[in-house]
Amino acid sequence: MLSKEQLDKRILVQEHFAKEHLPHELSEAQVEQLNDEIIAELKARDACLVAHYYCDPLVQAIAEKSGGCVADSLEMARFGARHSASTLVVAGVRFMGETAKILSPEKRILMPTLEATCSLDLGCPVDDFSAFCDQHPEREVVVYANTSAAVKARADWVVTSSIAVQVIEHLAEQDKKIIWAPDKHLGTYVQKETGADMLLWDGACIVHEEFKAKGLLDLKQVYPNAAILVHPESPDAVVQLADAVGSTSQLIKAAQELPNETLIVATDRGIFYKMQQAAPGKTFIEAPTGGSGATCRSCAHCPWMAMNGLQNILDGLRQGKEEVFVDAELRQNALRPLERMLSFQA
Ligand code: 13P
Ligand code: SF4
């Protein structure tokens, strides 16, 4: 597993990349120009743009406008696999591009930058993970989608946060014991919900891990009528304060369906773009990451998701340099647990 120091260094490099390469303040005319060029390139290259909810709102907007999709990691995978385009541009992080390639090997998968990774993926190197699994051969191996193709290839099941509870419930009903990786917080949440026997890998998301229960309680005093929405990659003390816990798409649904006019949201702030569309007129507040114990670099925004911008989507399409490849044998082995997830019906 990467040490805290190694991880911090990686994040600094990514933040430097974002500062150097992404124009943060585009004029309206520049946005319009880039949008027009992206739409033209997508058309000319039979390509479709798929973006995650945590991407910059400008990226989400062009994905929608160009006929692509904005979704959680499960729906991104489903949409990309179903779409007839010969090229998919995946605006998100590396594992999302790899998942698209595993599901659609005949498609060309481009990303705005292959540098966009995820702390969960980084914190679960395949050799260490394989050795861990070898020590517990009697256990079913369930990995979160936020992992490398190699880690998926070692697993029996892949899950996203949208269906993690249902899949583990299903396995627990068959008295299966489970290895869960890499996110210990999501693992703890699923374990509590299902009562399953789960051995947890010690990984965490650097964004969600920073949400603070104490700060959340203080904020709730200021907004007593607000509902608290929490992604289960957050620590248990934060999850316990939630009115709704769920994947990104489940949180958007909760924002729409809960009667509360004010919502405090513990996940990446990129999600506000879609939440505002789903529940116009409601007030959204970022859950606190600060306070006296704060150690965050990124606060409520993923430094790797932030590496996706209009300019590198356009450059990526034109130059085709940031293409995702997955070794053929690895792909076969990673496909099995992924297909299990996609065909799973609760
Ligand atoms: P979702 O599966 O909810 O989209 O989450 C992906 C992710 O990376 C959350 O941090
Ligand atoms: Fe990974 Fe966390 Fe970023 Fe999601 S928000 S991609 S889990 S680092």
Side-chain angles (χ1 to χ4, degrees):
M1 211 183 302
L2 288 185
S3 69
K4 174 99 177 69
E5 245 169 41
Q6 285 169 315
L7 195 53
D8 273 353
K9 206 163 150 209
R10 294 286 288 263
I11 297 163
L12 270 179
V13 171
Q14 323 294 343
E15 283 178 348
H16 177 72
F17 174 99
K19 275 200 191 90
E20 292 286 300
H21 296 268
L22 297 177
H24 290 286
E25 296 207 11
L26 292 169
S27 67
E28 255 179 59
Q30 284 171 315
V31 170
E32 209 173 303
Q33 167 86 15
L34 282 165
N35 280 349
D36 289 347
E37 290 181 50
I38 289 170
I39 288 175
E41 290 291 340
L42 287 168
K43 229 179 234 162
R45 292 168 199 272
D46 184 30
C48 170
L49 175 60
V50 184
H52 190 266
Y53 292 128
Y54 294 167
C55 287
D56 187 294
L58 291 176
V59 171
Q60 297 187 52
I62 186 63
E64 287 174 318
K65 194 173 167 197
S66 63
C69 93
V70 181
D72 67 5
S73 55
L74 180 63
E75 193 46 36
M76 282 172 82
R78 284 196 176 128
F79 181 92
R82 276 195 312 253
H83 203 280
S84 62
S86 56
T87 295
L88 295 177
V89 181
V90 179
V93 295
R94 182 65 181 253
F95 79 83
M96 295 170 178
E98 279 189 355
T99 299
K101 188 67 186 174
I102 294 165
L103 294 174
S104 310
E106 74 293 351
K107 289 183 180 146
R108 189 171 192 224
I109 309 296
L110 299 175
M111 296 191 72
T113 169
L114 296 176
E115 296 286 311
T117 182
C118 164
S119 63
L120 290 169
D121 185 350
L122 288 174
C124 191
V126 67
D127 291 345
D128 295 354
F129 182 61
S130 238
F132 178 64
C133 296
D134 289 346
Q135 286 166 16
H136 306 280
E138 75 290 359
R139 288 181 178 258
E140 196 90 347
V141 178
V142 182
V143 302
Y144 195 27
N146 301 36
T147 45
S148 65
V151 165
K152 288 185 177 77
R154 184 65 182 76
D156 300 303
W157 286 85
V158 173
V159 296
T160 71
S161 49
S162 288
I163 56 164
V165 170
Q166 292 97 313
V167 169
I168 298 294
E169 236 162 31
H170 167 77
L171 295 174
E173 276 163 15
Q174 299 164 44
D175 285 331
K176 297 249 167 85
K177 293 182 174 182
I178 289 147
I179 283 181
W180 170 272
D183 190 342
K184 62 181 172 191
H185 296 305
L186 180 58
T188 300
Y189 169 70
V190 174
Q191 205 281 326
K192 283 188 157 185
E193 288 292 300
T194 60
D197 180 338
M198 294 167 70
L199 208 52
L200 308 184
W201 184 259
D202 184 15
C205 160
I206 52 151
V207 179
H208 292 86
E209 190 163 49
E210 293 299 338
F211 290 115
K212 305 280 187 291
K214 162 83 173 70
L216 203 46
L217 279 171
D218 292 346
L219 195 60
K220 182 79 180 167
Q221 301 257 315
V222 183
Y223 300 99
N225 298 323
I228 297 176
L229 310 183
V230 176
H231 193 289
E233 286 171 12
S234 308
D236 185 45
V238 173
V239 170
Q240 295 214 20
L241 299 175
D243 296 289
V245 184
S247 70
T248 46
S249 48
Q250 290 162 348
L251 294 183
I252 292 170
K253 195 159 176 268
Q256 194 171 28
E257 289 175 357
L258 284 170
N260 312 63
E261 287 304 315
T262 304
L263 300 150
I264 301 172
V265 183
T267 194
D268 185 295
R269 73 171 81 100
I271 204 168
F272 289 168
Y273 174 75
K274 273 293 184 188
M275 277 189 176
Q276 271 153 358
Q277 274 182 11
K282 289 197 180 180
T283 303
F284 299 96
I285 301 171
E286 266 178 47
T289 53
S292 53
T295 49
C296 72
R297 302 196 57 84
S298 55
C299 293
H301 194 36
C302 175
W304 295 295
M305 290 285 183
M307 294 170 87
N308 297 278
L310 295 183
Q311 188 65 56
N312 59 4
I313 288 175
L314 184 60
D315 295 345
L317 267 162
R318 286 188 173 149
Q319 296 160 10
K321 276 194 313 202
E322 307 289 289
E323 180 168 357
V324 180
F325 295 100
V326 177
D327 170 82
E329 194 184 328
L330 195 62
R331 177 193 161 257
Q332 278 303 335
N333 292 331
L335 183 62
R336 238 170 289 133
L338 263 171
E339 279 186 331
R340 269 189 173 163
M341 166 177 83
L342 293 178
S343 54
F344 177 77
Q345 307 285 353

